[in-house]
Amino acid sequence: MTMPNNLEISRSASLKPLAEVADGMGIGAHLLEPYGRAAAKVSLEAIAELADRPRAKYVVVSSVTPTPLGAGKTTTSVGLGQAFGHIGKRAVIALRQPSMGPTFGIKGGAAGGGYSQVVPMEALNLHLTGDMHAVTAAHNLLAAMIDNHLHKGNALSINPHAITWRRVLDVNDRDLRQIVTGLGGKADGTPRQGGFDITAASEVMALLALSTSLQDLRERLGRIVIGYDVDGKPVTAEQLKAAGAMCVILLEALKPNLMQTVENTPVLIHCGPFGNIATGNSSIIADLIGIHAGDYLVTEAGFGADMGAERFFNIKCRNSGLTPDAAVLVVTVRDLKTHSGKYRVVAGKPLPEEMLAESPDDVTAGASNLRKQIANIREHGIEPVVAINAFPSDFASEHQSILDIAAEESVRAAVCTHVPDGGKGAIDLARAVVEACDQQNTFTTLYEDALPLVEKIETVARRIYGADGIDLSPLAERQLADYERNGFGNLPVCIAKTHLSLSSDPSKKGAPTGWRLPVREVRASVGAGFIYPICGDMRTMPGLSSAPAAERIDIDDNGEIVGLA
């Protein structure tokens, strides 16, 4: 029998009233602000009210380096959260909010899949409670105040050629990557070159995710560096008197959104920074609530363990003070077959037919990436559990190859069928995670705050990516020196590179060796609290494909959404 599609499963789910879902977390109705039947905002007062309750085990879900089609971290996170309920444990799941750029682009929505998804999926993927739009508005208010300051006399002596603050939009639109503003007459502003990034790449999104309180949010907004004056000194949002209004816009967006899975497991949806050009993790505030609201808190870190998980350990945990108990490393047969180097997987196109043939040897040939990502998690003193996200096209012999690799690395592993089977399909994974959480770990970050920025970048490049070193462009060298001189040297680094390879070259599969990481330029996200080296050709504003998902999304005669993946 053919399995219903994600949208059909979502609409057939039996939802509980969110007050009942919250009650199971120990969150009273007085802390909820309903947004229709799909979601509710959770008051920040919940942090203090839950603080005396026992601390949940903290589990981060990451993956091997995925194909352009993804490895299934979100659906595995949901399946694992549901599976805990089947073994008598209470779980809370904390996830990012999807960006509408990918939803209408190639990737489609990000609510999970099959019987392991957050519901209703159309609400999650489309607007939800408006947090994305609040981030967009706050970001662009600052951009407008910068240009207005120039137009009204430039009392801060801002160098128009040293403004680093661009505009954002939650849509994939390559034509906005580079623009010229202020064209027209004198009343239309000061002409200068600028551009747009996607909202998920906004520093406002990143700092919202890393804030621990309203006061912390306000202070971070004030620290945003928008550019430099004619003497090369940083100019901040506080100096422009923009931070207060930005904070007002973000008041509601600071509160996490409560939803539920197909099996009514509570889910806190909050923030959506990209995983290859930002931190790739949901909010600290959601975790500060969820860590006292169940037996296990499951959160997802974007892309492979070299990306989102590295930022989770070295940026998010640094800010939250929370320490993880275990990590789940998601892997698929098609991931490792791709890392064999024999196949080319293209987003939006079917897998190569020969890739679907039974071949445990191809899986074994791509094992170097799995081994390296296991090592990357262990670099932080955390024990990984390998979750094999099974597809109907897989063969048992291929799953066994992955189980054998895990055994050779002395890590627990489980085959998961949570997409067709829901939580029952991830029970073995849940039991393995329980065992890993009960094992003593020695969590550590990769580097100390006092280490110079260039050495922080080199540490990540060598120990996590497997590079022989880094090559700084003359521009990057000057920028790093300026950041150190301006007092930003104590910040962690968030390296922007391709998510399709451990290296900076998306064509290099497996675990490449004998290469160096090229650092093209370096930006400072001082409000968010990290330095942002850009390695290779990274796009902060994606484009649409020749057949974007938007072409298939519509409304039927009954007013129902169709075509949403």
mmCIF file of all heavy atoms in Angstrom, residues 187-220:
data_model
loop_
_atom_site.group_PDB
_atom_site.id
_atom_site.type_symbol
_atom_site.label_atom_id
_atom_site.label_comp_id
_atom_site.label_asym_id
_atom_site.label_seq_id
_atom_site.Cartn_x
_atom_site.Cartn_y
_atom_site.Cartn_z
ATOM 1 N N ALA A 187 15.999 63.863 -2.805
ATOM 2 C CA ALA A 187 15.080 63.449 -1.743
ATOM 3 C C ALA A 187 14.961 61.931 -1.620
ATOM 4 O O ALA A 187 14.342 61.430 -0.675
ATOM 5 C CB ALA A 187 13.700 64.048 -1.994
ATOM 6 N N ASP A 188 15.541 61.195 -2.571
ATOM 7 C CA ASP A 188 15.419 59.730 -2.580
ATOM 8 C C ASP A 188 16.567 59.029 -1.887
ATOM 9 O O ASP A 188 16.677 57.807 -1.941
ATOM 10 C CB ASP A 188 15.299 59.229 -4.023
ATOM 11 C CG ASP A 188 14.059 59.751 -4.709
ATOM 12 O OD1 ASP A 188 12.990 59.739 -4.061
ATOM 13 O OD2 ASP A 188 14.156 60.192 -5.874
ATOM 14 N N GLY A 189 17.437 59.783 -1.217
ATOM 15 C CA GLY A 189 18.500 59.153 -0.456
ATOM 16 C C GLY A 189 19.871 59.341 -1.072
ATOM 17 O O GLY A 189 20.051 60.041 -2.064
ATOM 18 N N THR A 190 20.841 58.665 -0.453
ATOM 19 C CA THR A 190 22.241 58.753 -0.876
ATOM 20 C C THR A 190 22.602 57.496 -1.663
ATOM 21 O O THR A 190 22.583 56.393 -1.110
ATOM 22 C CB THR A 190 23.168 58.866 0.347
ATOM 23 O OG1 THR A 190 22.771 59.998 1.127
ATOM 24 C CG2 THR A 190 24.619 58.998 -0.075
ATOM 25 N N PRO A 191 22.918 57.621 -2.944
ATOM 26 C CA PRO A 191 23.247 56.423 -3.728
ATOM 27 C C PRO A 191 24.460 55.682 -3.177
ATOM 28 O O PRO A 191 25.483 56.297 -2.853
ATOM 29 C CB PRO A 191 23.534 56.985 -5.127
ATOM 30 C CG PRO A 191 22.817 58.288 -5.167
ATOM 31 C CD PRO A 191 22.915 58.839 -3.779
ATOM 32 N N ARG A 192 24.329 54.375 -3.036
ATOM 33 C CA ARG A 192 25.462 53.529 -2.649
ATOM 34 C C ARG A 192 25.132 52.086 -3.009
ATOM 35 O O ARG A 192 23.970 51.712 -3.164
ATOM 36 C CB ARG A 192 25.782 53.645 -1.161
ATOM 37 C CG ARG A 192 24.743 53.084 -0.223
ATOM 38 C CD ARG A 192 25.188 53.219 1.237
ATOM 39 N NE ARG A 192 24.223 52.607 2.151
ATOM 40 C CZ ARG A 192 24.247 51.326 2.523
ATOM 41 N NH1 ARG A 192 25.198 50.519 2.052
ATOM 42 N NH2 ARG A 192 23.353 50.840 3.346
ATOM 43 N N GLN A 193 26.169 51.286 -3.129
ATOM 44 C CA GLN A 193 25.985 49.877 -3.445
ATOM 45 C C GLN A 193 25.643 49.114 -2.178
ATOM 46 O O GLN A 193 26.199 49.347 -1.111
ATOM 47 C CB GLN A 193 27.242 49.277 -4.070
ATOM 48 C CG GLN A 193 27.050 47.841 -4.548
ATOM 49 C CD GLN A 193 28.242 47.329 -5.339
ATOM 50 O OE1 GLN A 193 29.083 48.102 -5.773
ATOM 51 N NE2 GLN A 193 28.306 46.024 -5.532
ATOM 52 N N GLY A 194 24.691 48.187 -2.295
ATOM 53 C CA GLY A 194 24.296 47.341 -1.169
ATOM 54 C C GLY A 194 23.863 45.988 -1.678
ATOM 55 O O GLY A 194 24.298 45.537 -2.741
ATOM 56 N N GLY A 195 22.995 45.333 -0.935
ATOM 57 C CA GLY A 195 22.517 44.027 -1.367
ATOM 58 C C GLY A 195 21.603 43.413 -0.330
ATOM 59 O O GLY A 195 21.369 43.981 0.746
ATOM 60 N N PHE A 196 21.066 42.250 -0.676
ATOM 61 C CA PHE A 196 20.158 41.512 0.204
ATOM 62 C C PHE A 196 20.739 40.141 0.524
ATOM 63 O O PHE A 196 21.332 39.481 -0.332
ATOM 64 C CB PHE A 196 18.801 41.291 -0.486
ATOM 65 C CG PHE A 196 17.829 42.429 -0.350
ATOM 66 C CD1 PHE A 196 17.940 43.554 -1.151
ATOM 67 C CD2 PHE A 196 16.790 42.369 0.567
ATOM 68 C CE1 PHE A 196 17.037 44.592 -1.049
ATOM 69 C CE2 PHE A 196 15.885 43.405 0.683
ATOM 70 C CZ PHE A 196 16.002 44.522 -0.127
ATOM 71 N N ASP A 197 20.557 39.712 1.761
ATOM 72 C CA ASP A 197 20.773 38.328 2.173
ATOM 73 C C ASP A 197 19.412 37.724 2.488
ATOM 74 O O ASP A 197 18.410 38.441 2.612
ATOM 75 C CB ASP A 197 21.660 38.253 3.414
ATOM 76 C CG ASP A 197 23.038 38.846 3.181
ATOM 77 O OD1 ASP A 197 23.560 38.708 2.062
ATOM 78 O OD2 ASP A 197 23.585 39.457 4.122
ATOM 79 N N ILE A 198 19.356 36.407 2.636
ATOM 80 C CA ILE A 198 18.109 35.793 3.066
ATOM 81 C C ILE A 198 17.983 35.969 4.587
ATOM 82 O O ILE A 198 18.989 36.036 5.303
ATOM 83 C CB ILE A 198 18.044 34.310 2.663
ATOM 84 C CG1 ILE A 198 16.603 33.782 2.777
ATOM 85 C CG2 ILE A 198 19.024 33.461 3.449
ATOM 86 C CD1 ILE A 198 16.370 32.469 2.046
ATOM 87 N N THR A 199 16.764 36.076 5.085
ATOM 88 C CA THR A 199 16.533 36.376 6.498
ATOM 89 C C THR A 199 17.235 35.390 7.417
ATOM 90 O O THR A 199 17.737 35.759 8.488
ATOM 91 C CB THR A 199 15.026 36.405 6.799
ATOM 92 O OG1 THR A 199 14.421 37.439 6.012
ATOM 93 C CG2 THR A 199 14.736 36.665 8.256
ATOM 94 N N ALA A 200 17.299 34.127 7.017
ATOM 95 C CA ALA A 200 17.954 33.119 7.859
ATOM 96 C C ALA A 200 19.444 33.382 8.018
ATOM 97 O O ALA A 200 20.076 32.837 8.925
ATOM 98 C CB ALA A 200 17.737 31.724 7.281
ATOM 99 N N ALA A 201 20.024 34.231 7.152
ATOM 100 C CA ALA A 201 21.437 34.582 7.258
ATOM 101 C C ALA A 201 21.646 35.882 8.022
ATOM 102 O O ALA A 201 22.791 36.310 8.194
ATOM 103 C CB ALA A 201 22.051 34.708 5.869
ATOM 104 N N SER A 202 20.558 36.512 8.476
ATOM 105 C CA SER A 202 20.652 37.782 9.185
ATOM 106 C C SER A 202 21.351 37.606 10.536
ATOM 107 O O SER A 202 21.103 36.640 11.262
ATOM 108 C CB SER A 202 19.254 38.357 9.417
ATOM 109 O OG SER A 202 19.271 39.398 10.374
ATOM 110 N N GLU A 203 22.171 38.583 10.911
ATOM 111 C CA GLU A 203 22.755 38.571 12.246
ATOM 112 C C GLU A 203 21.673 38.699 13.309
ATOM 113 O O GLU A 203 21.805 38.154 14.413
ATOM 114 C CB GLU A 203 23.778 39.694 12.417
ATOM 115 C CG GLU A 203 24.430 39.691 13.787
ATOM 116 C CD GLU A 203 25.458 40.772 14.008
ATOM 117 O OE1 GLU A 203 25.833 41.454 13.029
ATOM 118 O OE2 GLU A 203 25.894 40.947 15.162
ATOM 119 N N VAL A 204 20.572 39.377 12.974
ATOM 120 C CA VAL A 204 19.465 39.499 13.930
ATOM 121 C C VAL A 204 18.891 38.118 14.235
ATOM 122 O O VAL A 204 18.561 37.810 15.388
ATOM 123 C CB VAL A 204 18.381 40.446 13.395
ATOM 124 C CG1 VAL A 204 17.181 40.485 14.336
ATOM 125 C CG2 VAL A 204 18.936 41.848 13.202
ATOM 126 N N MET A 205 18.781 37.263 13.222
ATOM 127 C CA MET A 205 18.294 35.898 13.452
ATOM 128 C C MET A 205 19.257 35.141 14.354
ATOM 129 O O MET A 205 18.842 34.450 15.302
ATOM 130 C CB MET A 205 18.134 35.156 12.125
ATOM 131 C CG MET A 205 17.685 33.710 12.275
ATOM 132 S SD MET A 205 16.036 33.553 13.002
ATOM 133 C CE MET A 205 15.034 33.867 11.534
ATOM 134 N N ALA A 206 20.547 35.262 14.089
ATOM 135 C CA ALA A 206 21.544 34.549 14.891
ATOM 136 C C ALA A 206 21.551 35.033 16.329
ATOM 137 O O ALA A 206 21.602 34.226 17.269
ATOM 138 C CB ALA A 206 22.927 34.704 14.263
ATOM 139 N N LEU A 207 21.481 36.345 16.531
ATOM 140 C CA LEU A 207 21.544 36.841 17.915
ATOM 141 C C LEU A 207 20.248 36.564 18.662
ATOM 142 O O LEU A 207 20.254 36.372 19.885
ATOM 143 C CB LEU A 207 21.931 38.317 17.949
ATOM 144 C CG LEU A 207 20.982 39.419 17.481
ATOM 145 C CD1 LEU A 207 19.947 39.789 18.514
ATOM 146 C CD2 LEU A 207 21.789 40.659 17.116
ATOM 147 N N LEU A 208 19.114 36.517 17.942
ATOM 148 C CA LEU A 208 17.858 36.123 18.578
ATOM 149 C C LEU A 208 17.978 34.686 19.089
ATOM 150 O O LEU A 208 17.553 34.367 20.207
ATOM 151 C CB LEU A 208 16.703 36.233 17.583
ATOM 152 C CG LEU A 208 15.297 35.950 18.116
ATOM 153 C CD1 LEU A 208 14.845 37.045 19.075
ATOM 154 C CD2 LEU A 208 14.298 35.822 16.967
ATOM 155 N N ALA A 209 18.585 33.816 18.293
ATOM 156 C CA ALA A 209 18.754 32.413 18.686
ATOM 157 C C ALA A 209 19.717 32.254 19.853
ATOM 158 O O ALA A 209 19.599 31.302 20.631
ATOM 159 C CB ALA A 209 19.242 31.588 17.494
ATOM 160 N N LEU A 210 20.672 33.169 19.994
ATOM 161 C CA LEU A 210 21.685 33.053 21.040
ATOM 162 C C LEU A 210 21.363 33.866 22.285
ATOM 163 O O LEU A 210 22.085 33.783 23.281
ATOM 164 C CB LEU A 210 23.048 33.488 20.487
ATOM 165 C CG LEU A 210 23.651 32.549 19.432
ATOM 166 C CD1 LEU A 210 24.863 33.184 18.768
ATOM 167 C CD2 LEU A 210 24.027 31.202 20.043
ATOM 168 N N SER A 211 20.288 34.633 22.263
ATOM 169 C CA SER A 211 19.910 35.440 23.429
ATOM 170 C C SER A 211 19.374 34.549 24.540
ATOM 171 O O SER A 211 18.713 33.545 24.288
ATOM 172 C CB SER A 211 18.860 36.479 23.042
ATOM 173 O OG SER A 211 19.381 37.425 22.127
ATOM 174 N N THR A 212 19.630 34.953 25.770
ATOM 175 C CA THR A 212 19.168 34.180 26.930
ATOM 176 C C THR A 212 18.052 34.866 27.695
ATOM 177 O O THR A 212 17.461 34.272 28.594
ATOM 178 C CB THR A 212 20.343 33.931 27.898
ATOM 179 O OG1 THR A 212 20.902 35.191 28.291
ATOM 180 C CG2 THR A 212 21.430 33.091 27.234
ATOM 181 N N SER A 213 17.759 36.123 27.353
ATOM 182 C CA SER A 213 16.724 36.887 28.039
ATOM 183 C C SER A 213 16.412 38.122 27.209
ATOM 184 O O SER A 213 17.121 38.433 26.235
ATOM 185 C CB SER A 213 17.192 37.314 29.432
ATOM 186 O OG SER A 213 18.267 38.238 29.321
ATOM 187 N N LEU A 214 15.370 38.851 27.596
ATOM 188 C CA LEU A 214 15.038 40.101 26.912
ATOM 189 C C LEU A 214 16.160 41.118 27.065
ATOM 190 O O LEU A 214 16.531 41.806 26.107
ATOM 191 C CB LEU A 214 13.722 40.663 27.466
ATOM 192 C CG LEU A 214 13.256 41.998 26.882
ATOM 193 C CD1 LEU A 214 13.061 41.900 25.376
ATOM 194 C CD2 LEU A 214 11.956 42.450 27.562
ATOM 195 N N GLN A 215 16.726 41.214 28.267
ATOM 196 C CA GLN A 215 17.831 42.149 28.481
ATOM 197 C C GLN A 215 19.036 41.789 27.626
ATOM 198 O O GLN A 215 19.693 42.662 27.039
ATOM 199 C CB GLN A 215 18.228 42.167 29.958
ATOM 200 C CG GLN A 215 19.377 43.126 30.265
ATOM 201 C CD GLN A 215 19.796 43.090 31.729
ATOM 202 O OE1 GLN A 215 19.271 42.314 32.518
ATOM 203 N NE2 GLN A 215 20.758 43.924 32.095
ATOM 204 N N ASP A 216 19.326 40.495 27.531
ATOM 205 C CA ASP A 216 20.446 40.037 26.706
ATOM 206 C C ASP A 216 20.195 40.384 25.244
ATOM 207 O O ASP A 216 21.107 40.835 24.532
ATOM 208 C CB ASP A 216 20.629 38.531 26.889
ATOM 209 C CG ASP A 216 21.869 38.000 26.181
ATOM 210 O OD1 ASP A 216 22.863 38.743 26.094
ATOM 211 O OD2 ASP A 216 21.849 36.846 25.723
ATOM 212 N N LEU A 217 18.951 40.203 24.778
ATOM 213 C CA LEU A 217 18.604 40.546 23.399
ATOM 214 C C LEU A 217 18.861 42.029 23.146
ATOM 215 O O LEU A 217 19.468 42.405 22.130
ATOM 216 C CB LEU A 217 17.141 40.207 23.127
ATOM 217 C CG LEU A 217 16.575 40.693 21.785
ATOM 218 C CD1 LEU A 217 17.256 39.980 20.617
ATOM 219 C CD2 LEU A 217 15.063 40.482 21.734
ATOM 220 N N ARG A 218 18.386 42.864 24.071
ATOM 221 C CA ARG A 218 18.549 44.320 23.895
ATOM 222 C C ARG A 218 20.029 44.697 23.829
ATOM 223 O O ARG A 218 20.436 45.542 22.992
ATOM 224 C CB ARG A 218 17.858 45.039 25.065
ATOM 225 C CG ARG A 218 18.035 46.566 25.072
ATOM 226 C CD ARG A 218 17.433 47.217 23.845
ATOM 227 N NE ARG A 218 17.644 48.659 23.863
ATOM 228 C CZ ARG A 218 18.776 49.256 23.487
ATOM 229 N NH1 ARG A 218 19.816 48.516 23.066
ATOM 230 N NH2 ARG A 218 18.876 50.586 23.511
ATOM 231 N N GLU A 219 20.841 44.097 24.673
ATOM 232 C CA GLU A 219 22.265 44.419 24.672
ATOM 233 C C GLU A 219 22.945 43.942 23.395
ATOM 234 O O GLU A 219 23.811 44.637 22.835
ATOM 235 C CB GLU A 219 22.928 43.796 25.904
ATOM 236 C CG GLU A 219 22.495 44.449 27.214
ATOM 237 C CD GLU A 219 23.016 43.729 28.441
ATOM 238 O OE1 GLU A 219 23.670 42.662 28.268
ATOM 239 O OE2 GLU A 219 22.778 44.202 29.570
ATOM 240 N N ARG A 220 22.572 42.764 22.923
ATOM 241 C CA ARG A 220 23.165 42.232 21.688
ATOM 242 C C ARG A 220 22.813 43.116 20.491
ATOM 243 O O ARG A 220 23.660 43.370 19.622
ATOM 244 C CB ARG A 220 22.697 40.802 21.446
ATOM 245 C CG ARG A 220 23.319 39.766 22.376
ATOM 246 C CD ARG A 220 22.705 38.384 22.161
ATOM 247 N NE ARG A 220 23.262 37.405 23.078
ATOM 248 C CZ ARG A 220 24.367 36.683 22.843
ATOM 249 N NH1 ARG A 220 25.013 36.834 21.704
ATOM 250 N NH2 ARG A 220 24.800 35.825 23.735
#
